[in-house]
């Protein structure tokens, strides 16, 4: 027979019993509080310490502490941990600041070969130089200690977040001009729904996608097999046959794509694209081109050709490092996600033929890309 405890009885009011019962049944409260609520309820009902130990499944010392705190300071005290004053920190704020300062410097600036820190390399450097810097406690610091210090300051010196430096002093002005053009195209598209007259200005977004690789297989692809191989099998090795550039323009009114697939991108290739546009549109209309400042777009040869067609072409330049403003990039993205994705060919000529086929497929179901956030730069 279990020995009866010498501790005083725990008397609960109806409100206290109701509160402890709800806590003991909770699935969202802290586990330790649920366990202590169950301990106090059973003790108040006269259950022995041994029985509470078996039923709740916690150690007897924990049961004693919970009951003693409840008897001495009330139910709320029995549910909580006693406050313990922590030991003073062994790693001072000055030592942490030194580690942070090291993390914000490049290893190569400190005489190492690496460009960026790894956690292991930073911890090793800290251990090696801690005593000389006056922070002897860090002489034995491991990766976890360094990680905690960096985490306090939300630092990840092993990672790179890329950004684009704004190098065009007229960026805002040029961006505004491009967006005004897109706004005009949107208004013209709305007007064309009721007005059947031909446009006087056709807007074409022009750019190039260089370096499309003609890559060949060294062994045939293996088709998927149900229940055995869920995906296409492909040999790791490949053959390079060269690269091609896609010089393309997209009509922002209809979504029609103009494309020339060339091995080089010089003035003569760009002039050939301009000649295609000139032949496609009505003779009396203006062809407005949204394009960047590539040398082929503004070369002497190109300017000489444009001089033979006065008033036919109008340039609207995107800012430097502002290719994301050019809607042709949406068409290039669609190419990359559809027919260029994982493409394998037997020659450079086959690559060109496959690209032309993909362009024809896109033109069979043209997509009109629209710029929607006109508040950018226009407010």
């Amino acid at each position: 027979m279990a020995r009866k405890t010498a501790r005083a009885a725990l008397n609960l009011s109806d409100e206290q019993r109701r509160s402890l019962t709800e806590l003991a049944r909770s699935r969202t409260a802290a586990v330790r509080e649920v366990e202590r609520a169950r301990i106090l309820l059973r003790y108040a009902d006269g259950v022995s310490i041994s029985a509470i130990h078996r039923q709740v499944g916690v150690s007897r010392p924990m049961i004693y502490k919970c009951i003693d705190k409840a008897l001495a300071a009330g139910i709320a005290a029995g549910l909580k941990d006693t406050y313990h004053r922590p030991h003073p920190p062994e790693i001072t704020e000055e030592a942490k600041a030194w580690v942070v300062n090291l993390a914000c410097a490049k290893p190569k600036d400190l005489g190492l070969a690496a460009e960026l820190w790894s956690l292991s390399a930073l911890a090793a450097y800290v251990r090696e130089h801690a005593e000389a810097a006056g922070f002897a406690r860090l002489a034995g610091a491991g990766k976890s200690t360094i990680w905690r210090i960096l985490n306090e300051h939300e630092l990840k010196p092993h990672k790179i977040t890329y950004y684009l430096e704004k190098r065009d002093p007229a960026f805002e002005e040029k961006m505004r001009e491009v967006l005004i053009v897109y706004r005009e195209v949107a208004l013209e598209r709305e007007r064309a729904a009721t007005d059947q007259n031909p446009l006087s200005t056709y807007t074409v977004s022009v750019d190039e996608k260089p370096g499309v690789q003609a890559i060949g297989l060294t062994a045939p692809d293996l088709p998927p097999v149900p229940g055995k191989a869920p995906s296409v099998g492909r040999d790791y090795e490949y053959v390079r046959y060269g690269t091609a550039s896609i010089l393309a323009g997209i009509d922002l009114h209809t979504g029609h794509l103009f494309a020339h697939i060339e091995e080089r991108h010089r003035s003569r290739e760009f002039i050939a694209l301009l000649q295609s546009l000139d032949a496609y549109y009505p003779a009396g209309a203006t062809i407005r081109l949204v394009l960047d400042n590539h040398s082929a777009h503004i070369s002497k040869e190109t300017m000489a050709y444009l001089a033979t067609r006065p008033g036919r072409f109008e340039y609207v330049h995107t800012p430097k490092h502002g290719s994301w403003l050019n809607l042709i990039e949406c068409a290039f993205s669609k190419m990359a996600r559809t027919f260029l994705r994982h493409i394998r060919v037997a020659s450079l000529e086959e690559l060109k033929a496959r690209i032309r086929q993909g362009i024809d497929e896109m033109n069979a179901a043209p997509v009109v890309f629209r710029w929607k956030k006109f508040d950018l730069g226009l407010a």
Side-chain angles (χ1 to χ4, degrees):
M1 182 175 179
R3 183 173 64 85
K4 186 176 180 180
T5 180
R7 289 175 173 78
L10 179 63
N11 298 315
L12 301 176
S13 66
D14 293 341
E15 179 63 30
Q16 289 174 330
R17 183 173 290 277
R18 183 164 49 253
S19 175
L20 287 175
T21 301
E22 290 178 0
L23 181 57
R25 295 173 178 172
S26 175
R27 294 186 178 184
T28 58
V31 173
R32 66 179 63 184
E33 293 187 8
V34 172
E35 292 174 342
R36 291 169 187 178
R38 294 168 62 190
I39 291 170
L40 295 180
L41 283 172
R42 284 166 171 73
Y43 183 76
D45 291 339
V47 179
S48 68
I49 300 297
S50 297
I52 295 174
H53 170 62
R54 291 193 301 272
Q55 294 172 11
V56 181
V58 296
S59 65
R60 295 175 72 94
M62 178 179 171
I63 296 172
Y64 295 142
K65 288 180 181 179
C66 175
I67 295 172
D68 290 343
K69 286 190 289 184
L71 292 173
I75 299 301
L79 297 173
K80 303 294 182 181
D81 287 322
T82 304
Y83 173 75
H84 298 280
R85 184 176 298 279
H87 295 292
E90 297 183 17
I91 301 177
T92 64
E93 293 301 319
E94 290 78 8
K96 293 180 181 179
W98 178 66
V99 173
V100 169
N101 184 62
L102 290 177
C104 292
K106 286 189 173 184
K108 67 175 185 177
D109 297 333
L110 299 174
L112 302 177
E115 184 74 15
L116 299 180
W117 289 112
S118 66
L119 200 57
S120 299
L122 181 58
Y125 188 90
V126 167
R127 289 194 298 271
E128 183 179 352
H129 297 85
E131 290 192 8
F135 305 111
R137 175 60 183 82
L138 291 174
K143 291 194 298 184
S144 59
T145 300
I146 301 303
W147 179 86
R148 283 193 295 270
I149 295 173
L150 299 182
N151 193 52
E152 287 179 13
H153 296 82
E154 299 181 357
L155 282 176
K156 294 179 174 63
H158 60 288
K159 291 187 175 182
I160 292 180
T161 300
Y162 286 93
Y163 73 99
L164 188 60
E165 184 72 17
K166 190 182 293 185
R167 295 185 174 90
D168 193 334
F171 190 96
E172 302 292 338
E173 180 183 346
K174 292 179 181 178
M175 179 177 70
R176 181 183 179 89
E177 185 178 358
V178 172
L179 296 185
I180 288 175
V181 169
Y182 292 158
R183 169 64 83 182
E184 291 177 359
V185 171
L187 295 175
E188 289 169 357
R189 191 181 300 115
E190 295 173 3
R191 190 184 308 116
T194 57
D195 186 359
Q196 300 303 318
N197 294 323
L199 296 173
S200 60
T201 301
Y202 294 88
T203 305
V204 182
S205 178
V206 175
D207 204 354
E208 65 283 339
K209 183 177 179 63
V212 181
Q213 296 190 70
I215 297 178
L217 297 170
T218 58
D221 281 345
L222 303 179
V225 178
K228 182 179 179 181
S231 60
V232 174
R234 176 170 286 175
D235 189 83
Y236 283 103
E237 295 186 357
Y238 55 87
V239 180
R240 295 178 184 271
Y241 296 112
T243 60
S245 293
I246 305 175
L247 279 70
I250 184 169
D251 187 313
L252 299 184
H253 307 273
T254 65
H256 181 79
L257 268 169
F258 309 87
H260 287 207
I261 297 88
E262 308 285 355
E263 295 182 29
R264 302 179 66 181
H265 180 201
R266 299 166 297 179
S267 299
R268 66 181 67 178
E269 285 81 17
F270 180 65
I271 291 172
L273 178 62
L274 295 181
Q275 290 171 338
S276 298
L277 297 174
D278 185 32
Y280 182 84
Y281 290 107
T286 299
I287 304 172
R288 181 167 52 187
L289 304 180
V290 179
L291 73 178
D292 60 21
N293 285 283
H294 190 282
S295 59
H297 302 165
I298 54 177
S299 67
K300 292 181 179 180
E301 294 86 349
T302 301
M303 292 297 108
Y305 168 74
L306 294 177
T308 66
R309 307 291 292 153
R312 181 61 163 163
F313 292 95
E314 176 186 324
Y315 277 9
V316 178
H317 288 292
T318 57
K320 189 175 183 180
H321 293 309
S323 61
W324 52 274
L325 283 167
N326 201 334
L327 284 175
I328 187 63
E329 297 297 336
C330 299
F332 287 149
S333 174
K334 185 176 180 179
M335 294 179 196
R337 288 180 284 108
T338 54
F339 60 86
L340 291 179
R341 188 165 182 254
H342 304 310
I343 192 169
R344 291 295 184 269
V345 294
S347 66
L348 184 57
E349 291 306 314
E350 183 184 345
L351 174 66
K352 294 179 181 179
R354 294 275 295 278
I355 293 174
R356 292 189 189 98
Q357 182 181 355
I359 297 294
D360 291 341
E361 291 173 359
M362 292 178 67
N363 280 331
V367 175
V368 178
F369 296 104
R370 297 178 174 89
W371 191 279
K372 297 180 180 179
K373 296 186 178 181
F374 288 106
D375 56 325
L376 261 176
L378 294 178

